[in-house]
Amino acid sequence: MTATPGGPPLLILGVRRSGTTLLRVMLDRHSQLAVPDESYFVPQLADRHLRRVDPDEFVDDLRRVNTLAEWDVPLEQVRARLSPGMPVGAAIGTVYAVYAEQRGKRRWGDKTPMYMQNLRLLERLFPDALFVHLIRDGRDAATSFLSMPRGIVTETWMHPSTPADFACQWRTEVAAARRLGRRVGERYLEVRYEELVADVEAVLRRICGLAGLEYEPAMADYAGNVDVSAKPHQQSLEQPPTKGLRDWRRQMAPGDVAAFEQVAGDLLRDLGYETSHDADAAGRLRRATYAGRALAWRGASFALRRSPLWRRRHPTLR
């Protein structure tokens, strides 16, 4: 198995609004682990360079990535570690490794819910990766996601706008991550959001065990130490883990509950969550339609990234 630079990386998996930001903040407070905010660039760079990289072309693309400009990663240090024909996963891992070292840390992780649509890619790029899959009751995640102010999330034609749409995404992505877990075995750990907020230390100790790190009490002491001034959808990080911030039983209309469960009730039940409706034929049709749209979206995204239009849409930033 090829070692990833700065690895093995700890990758946080989870559908949007499942508590992955909370978990990221906790893990990033570990003295040896750097877990930045959402990166977005991994599938872009992988599609741009496929299997192996030309170092100069790779760094030219890095100069065009908004996230890396925000992270202030010293690209000259990245370039010094690249070699012709380096696997693209190792080149991407080098970016994270330099980011971590700039913060005095030896290991890195990632938390980007969008990558739930790219699990096979993550598996190929980082063959030694460790995966923590955070699962939250999909109805609570839907309630949280659909209540976010407009403009917080980039809205594309794959953007869920109803509880049933979100149920399609939730069911598809959670099921895909669990299949990943069966493939990678002991490198996968499944935890519940509800467990995390009920017993932070116990869950963090399990994750540290997976990562081969010592548990540090500072990981749970994030309240008041996180700048969320520019993130109105993350204000709950100003307080300790709190149960019941979302409760679909009180906050979701009965018709919306039924619509969600008709799509994803079977998986909710498999995970031990209570349900009152079964997945049905209409729900299966919705899921099939979602799968077709997702396939088209991935195809369109790949074609764009491979075309000269990508660089025109991403001018050099530094």
Side-chain angles (χ1 to χ4, degrees), residues 3-14:
T4 303
L10 184 65
L11 306 184
I12 301 172
L13 307 179

Side-chain angles (χ1 to χ4, degrees), residues 103-176:
R103 287 149 182 82
K105 302 185 179 186
R106 63 184 178 86
R107 297 273 300 278
W108 62 269
D110 183 274
K111 187 283 297 188
T112 308
M114 185 185 75
Y115 297 167
M116 290 287 278
Q117 302 167 24
N118 304 100
L119 298 180
R120 289 279 189 181
L121 176 65
L122 296 181
E123 201 178 348
R124 173 173 66 82
L125 293 177
F126 313 121
D128 56 347
L130 306 170
F131 299 94
V132 178
H133 182 197
L134 184 62
I135 298 178
R136 184 183 192 182
D137 187 315
R139 294 157 297 190
D140 285 333
T143 301
S144 178
F145 180 83
L146 296 171
S147 67
M148 285 197 300
R150 297 292 294 273
I152 297 295
V153 178
T154 301
E155 297 186 20
T156 69
W157 46 276
M158 280 299 294
H159 183 84
S161 57
T162 68
D165 288 343
F166 191 89
C168 290
Q169 182 178 39
W170 182 86
R171 189 190 186 284
T172 299
E173 295 181 359
V174 171

